[in-house]
Amino acid sequence: DIVNMLMQSPIEPLLANRHIVITAGPTREEIDPVRFISNHSSGKMGYALAKAALALGAKVTLVSGPVNLSPPAGIEVIDVVSAEQMHQAVMKVVANCDIFIGCAAVADYKPQQKTQQKIKKSNSELTLTFTKNPDILSDVAHLAQPPFTVGFAAETQDVAHYAQDKLKRKKLDMIAANDVSQAGLGFNSEKNALNVYWNNGEKNLGVADKSQLALTLMTLVAQRHTEKMSSIK
Amino acid sequence: DIVNMLMQSPIEPLLANRHIVITAGPTREEIDPVRFISNHSSGKMGYALAKAALALGAKVTLVSGPVNLSPPAGIEVIDVVSAEQMHQAVMKVVANCDIFIGCAAVADYKPQQKTQQKIKKSNSELTLTFTKNPDILSDVAHLAQPPFTVGFAAETQDVAHYAQDKLKRKKLDMIAANDVSQAGLGFNSEKNALNVYWNNGEKNLGVADKSQLALTLMTLVAQRHTEKMSSIK
């Protein structure tokens, strides 16, 4: 794990004096007091990124959906359930941060209305209408003074195409794409495979343990962020 | 916990030579490769019942939805995800059992069709149609030679009324009802409050730790099962 990696090779504090906000895990959208809609995100990648950022010297705030992971020592964790709660929490903390990484698998849709009582199964069919949730990543990237914004794309087809489209459409600085359709990778897995894209650049980080991959990705984020800062000055 | 309770007062092996099948946890119904619909069941009550049955001398088979609990030693655990998988697994093992306890929070509905690719959020609204899942409890109770069948009712209103209706409609031998709307009780909680109903009888088991409540309930199940057996002979 990352602690062992740190013991093996000393890490440059590339992110010293940087405040990083990271989202992790799924969100849950309640249908009624009993049922909800969610997704298969375990939060492992986001938590690994938070630990990697800490290891690189950053101050880290982790906004986490419902996961079964222990809050990492030295990291401020804000627990949320729904996409709207995550949106609110992020908007509160993101204003003065340097880097934002949207790693959470935020539910795109929420039920149009939450019923206060459990829906009875009296009908043979049930039709539910869902409306769009706020787009956290896009809202952060469209701030007047946005942080360096990194998104994730979890697609099952045309991964590169969707990732590059999302990068431009949402005005992101960088996007990391993984193919969740590959068995044993991505959601709920210990390993991941990432392709990272930015304006006029890309890098294949290959298949690796999530904590290893997180350190590689955070290092790349730190480099690109520093380049962007020096190009602005 | 239950181990301590066993140390304190010796337990009569009321369920010796009985085979008990118990379902536990939620089920997950997949909408696409990323999204699913589920519910807040933690599986704690079902797992506590399985341990209580083991402590009372039974052979126990636990059919479990996706939970974050360790499989209890001495108990055969069959892991499933969806309601259909749980139905299949139960029907395979229930034929020769003496007692069936349906403690799982089985999803009443599943998406009419699972899409093979992740649904894109191109539309501002999304409408999903759900169809009914098989009714495991009712199917077990309607077998030609049904086991002693115990159901659970997780309601948010008119708990006693719904529970007694479910008892008759599904031909159950017993039903345990808890009011999930009470804060700190039921789903995801360590404690629970149960009211148990059977034909011409009921018992309030009060509020207690789930493992304590499980032992009280299993003892009641064993007594009612024995009474039913002797009335048949």
Side-chain angles (χ1 to χ4, degrees):
Chain A
D1 91 338
I2 206 163
V3 177
N4 288 324
M5 292 172 57
L6 295 180
M7 307 292 272
Q8 283 157 26
S9 60
I11 284 183
E12 265 189 87
L14 292 174
L15 294 171
N17 304 316
R18 306 291 188 210
H19 180 199
I20 301 197
V21 176
I22 299 172
T23 64
T27 66
R28 271 186 196 166
E29 311 301 318
E30 308 228 323
I31 297 168
D32 66 18
V34 174
R35 302 175 178 93
F36 60 80
I37 190 164
S38 190
N39 63 64
H40 291 293
S41 170
S42 64
K44 283 175 191 165
M45 193 64 209
Y47 276 60
L49 284 170
K51 289 181 199 170
L54 185 74
L56 291 169
K59 176 192 166 195
V60 186
T61 302
L62 183 60
V63 181
S64 176
V67 297
N68 289 291
L69 300 169
S70 305
I75 291 170
E76 182 198 21
V77 181
I78 302 171
D79 288 313
V80 297
V81 175
S82 69
E84 274 185 0
Q85 288 170 1
M86 186 173 276
H87 185 266
Q88 277 180 17
V90 166
M91 288 306 166
K92 258 187 201 165
V93 295
V94 88
N96 296 310
C97 82
D98 303 285
I99 298 169
F100 173 75
I101 304 181
C103 187
V106 182
D108 301 324
Y109 293 97
K110 65 176 175 213
Q112 198 161 41
Q113 54 195 104
K114 179 187 166 182
T115 44
Q116 293 307 307
Q117 302 295 345
K118 184 183 171 188
I119 301 168
K120 304 300 298 177
K121 56 172 172 178
S122 30
N123 299 318
S124 66
E125 280 194 0
L126 175 70
T127 302
L128 295 177
T129 304
F130 299 85
T131 57
K132 270 198 182 175
N133 265 320
D135 188 329
I136 300 172
L137 202 54
S138 180
D139 285 359
V140 171
H142 283 83
L143 286 171
Q145 295 191 302
F148 186 89
T149 305
V150 183
F152 272 76
E155 301 297 339
T156 52
Q157 55 185 342
D158 286 343
V159 177
H161 169 75
Y162 279 121
Q164 282 165 325
D165 174 63
K166 191 171 174 178
L167 177 78
K168 288 184 189 111
R169 193 165 29 86
K170 298 201 178 178
K171 287 182 64 181
L172 308 180
D173 291 293
M174 189 183 267
I175 192 159
N178 52 344
D179 187 344
V180 295
S181 70
Q182 286 185 62
L185 295 178
F187 282 160
N188 261 316
S189 155
E190 296 303 326
K191 287 200 170 187
N192 211 349
L194 289 181
N195 270 298
V196 186
Y197 304 91
W198 59 91
N199 196 12
N200 299 322
E202 67 175 273
K203 192 168 185 180
N204 182 344
L205 304 189
V207 178
D209 188 89
K210 280 183 180 174
S211 46
Q212 213 171 337
L213 211 52
L215 195 56
T216 312
L217 179 59
M218 281 310 309
T219 305
L220 187 60
V221 167
Q223 288 163 350
R224 297 285 320 146
H225 173 247
T226 305
E227 278 179 43
K228 190 188 178 188
M229 287 300 99
S230 48
S231 76
I232 287 172
K233 271 168 201 166
Chain B
D1 88 342
I2 204 162
V3 177
N4 288 324
M5 292 172 56
L6 295 179
M7 308 291 273
Q8 281 157 28
S9 59
I11 285 184
E12 265 189 88
L14 291 174
L15 292 171
N17 304 315
R18 306 290 187 212
H19 180 199
I20 301 197
V21 175
I22 299 172
T23 64
T27 66
R28 271 187 197 165
E29 312 300 318
E30 308 226 324
I31 296 168
D32 66 17
V34 174
R35 303 174 176 93
F36 59 81
I37 189 164
S38 191
N39 63 65
H40 291 292
S41 170
S42 65
K44 283 175 192 163
M45 193 64 208
Y47 275 61
L49 284 170
K51 289 180 198 169
L54 185 73
L56 291 168
K59 177 194 165 193
V60 186
T61 303
L62 183 60
V63 181
S64 175
V67 296
N68 289 291
L69 300 170
S70 305
I75 290 170
E76 182 198 21
V77 181
I78 303 170
D79 288 314
V80 297
V81 175
S82 69
E84 274 185 0
Q85 288 171 1
M86 186 173 276
H87 185 266
Q88 277 180 16
V90 166
M91 288 305 164
K92 259 188 201 164
V93 295
V94 88
N96 295 309
C97 82
D98 302 286
I99 298 169
F100 173 75
I101 304 181
C103 187
V106 182
D108 301 324
Y109 294 97
K110 66 177 176 212
Q112 199 160 39
Q113 53 195 99
K114 177 184 166 183
T115 44
Q116 292 308 306
Q117 302 295 344
K118 185 181 170 188
I119 301 169
K120 304 301 296 175
K121 55 172 170 178
S122 29
N123 299 318
S124 66
E125 280 195 0
L126 174 70
T127 302
L128 296 177
T129 304
F130 298 85
T131 57
K132 269 199 182 173
N133 265 320
D135 188 328
I136 300 172
L137 201 55
S138 180
D139 285 358
V140 170
H142 283 83
L143 286 171
Q145 295 192 300
F148 186 88
T149 305
V150 183
F152 272 75
E155 301 298 338
T156 51
Q157 54 185 342
D158 287 342
V159 178
H161 169 75
Y162 279 122
Q164 282 164 325
D165 174 64
K166 191 171 175 179
L167 177 78
K168 289 186 189 109
R169 194 165 29 86
K170 298 199 178 180
K171 287 182 64 179
L172 308 180
D173 292 293
M174 188 182 266
I175 192 159
N178 52 345
D179 187 345
V180 296
S181 70
Q182 286 186 60
L185 295 179
F187 283 159
N188 261 317
S189 154
E190 296 302 326
K191 287 198 171 190
N192 211 349
L194 288 182
N195 271 299
V196 187
Y197 304 90
W198 57 93
N199 197 10
N200 300 320
E202 67 175 273
K203 193 168 184 179
N204 182 345
L205 304 189
V207 177
D209 187 271
K210 280 184 180 174
S211 45
Q212 215 170 334
L213 211 52
L215 194 57
T216 313
L217 179 59
M218 281 310 310
T219 305
L220 187 59
V221 167
Q223 288 164 349
R224 297 286 318 147
H225 174 248
T226 305
E227 277 179 44
K228 190 189 178 188
M229 288 300 100
S230 47
S231 75
I232 287 172
K233 272 170 198 162

